[in-house]
Amino acid sequence: AEVKHELPNDAFLGLVSETLAEGHTAIIWVNGYSMRPFIEFGRDKVKLASAETYQVGDAVLAEIAKGHYVLHRIIKKEGNKLTLQGDGNVRGVEYCTMADVRGVVTEYIRPSRTLLADDACLQRKIRLWRMLRPIRRYLLFLYKAVI
């Protein structure tokens, strides 16, 4: 029988953060709905790795307050300062610095396939989704109705 242990998010993501800082990668199950439609809770996992730099459009694991982590997308970069927002959020953003970013999503792992984060088709969809921000609320409503 498989034994499953659950840790509080802050403790678990703290361990993931340490693993990434040591140069390793980590695969984690996604918790929550803030990254819909690109990452689905209960279905998807993501592979994280550390990086030297991060760009607008990257999905990153960031520590936005002591022990409080989010896996959200960079929507704005001004020098060292980043603005993050979940793909499934219609408003509300988080702020952090490049130093607060613990890792970047390099792969989206779904039951049927794995998508590389730099996949050209995926990147086009992410850019389109960002442009549709004014009507995201309605698109998410429709998305929730069909899944």
Side-chain angles (χ1 to χ4, degrees), residues 128-139:
L128 176 62
W129 185 250
R130 286 186 18 232
M131 289 188 318
L132 295 172
R133 192 169 169 201
I135 62 167
R136 191 182 281 182
R137 161 181 288 132
Y138 308 106
L139 297 172

Side-chain angles (χ1 to χ4, degrees), residues 28-39:
I28 63 169
W29 285 99
V30 176
N31 189 7
Y33 299 99
S34 67
M35 287 299 287
R36 275 183 167 167
F38 296 102
I39 306 172

Side-chain angles (χ1 to χ4, degrees), residues 37-58:
F38 296 102
I39 306 172
E40 187 63 44
F41 172 62
R43 180 191 74 185
D44 299 337
K45 295 181 274 187
V46 294
K47 184 174 185 179
L48 297 162
S50 61
E52 291 297 315
T53 185
Y54 306 96
Q55 304 302 320
V56 169
D58 286 347

Side-chain angles (χ1 to χ4, degrees), residues 4-143:
K4 185 176 181 181
H5 298 284
E6 289 192 26
L7 291 172
N9 234 19
D10 57 345
F12 173 68
L13 293 175
L15 292 172
V16 169
S17 178
E18 289 174 22
T19 299
L20 297 172
E22 293 170 0
H24 302 287
T25 60
I27 295 175
I28 63 169
W29 285 99
V30 176
N31 189 7
Y33 299 99
S34 67
M35 287 299 287
R36 275 183 167 167
F38 296 102
I39 306 172
E40 187 63 44
F41 172 62
R43 180 191 74 185
D44 299 337
K45 295 181 274 187
V46 294
K47 184 174 185 179
L48 297 162
S50 61
E52 291 297 315
T53 185
Y54 306 96
Q55 304 302 320
V56 169
D58 286 347
V60 296
L61 177 68
E63 187 175 14
I64 59 169
K66 182 72 175 151
H68 182 70
Y69 297 87
V70 295
L71 180 70
H72 283 170
R73 198 167 305 283
I74 299 172
I75 63 168
K76 190 175 188 182
K77 181 179 175 186
E78 295 176 308
N80 192 36
K81 295 182 173 132
L82 304 174
T83 304
L84 310 176
Q85 184 177 47
D87 293 334
N89 295 347
V90 293
R91 60 182 171 283
V93 294
E94 297 88 24
Y95 302 96
C96 68
T97 65
M98 294 279 275
D100 299 320
V101 176
R102 303 298 181 242
V104 62
V105 172
T106 60
E107 296 178 17
Y108 297 84
I109 304 166
R110 298 188 175 146
S112 59
R113 66 180 182 198
T114 297
L115 288 168
L116 296 177
D118 62 359
D119 178 81
C121 182
L122 176 63
Q123 287 300 313
R124 281 192 300 276
K125 290 176 182 175
I126 290 168
R127 281 192 302 275
L128 176 62
W129 185 250
R130 286 186 18 232
M131 289 188 318
L132 295 172
R133 192 169 169 201
I135 62 167
R136 191 182 281 182
R137 161 181 288 132
Y138 308 106
L139 297 172
L140 285 166
F141 178 79
L142 292 171
Y143 176 80

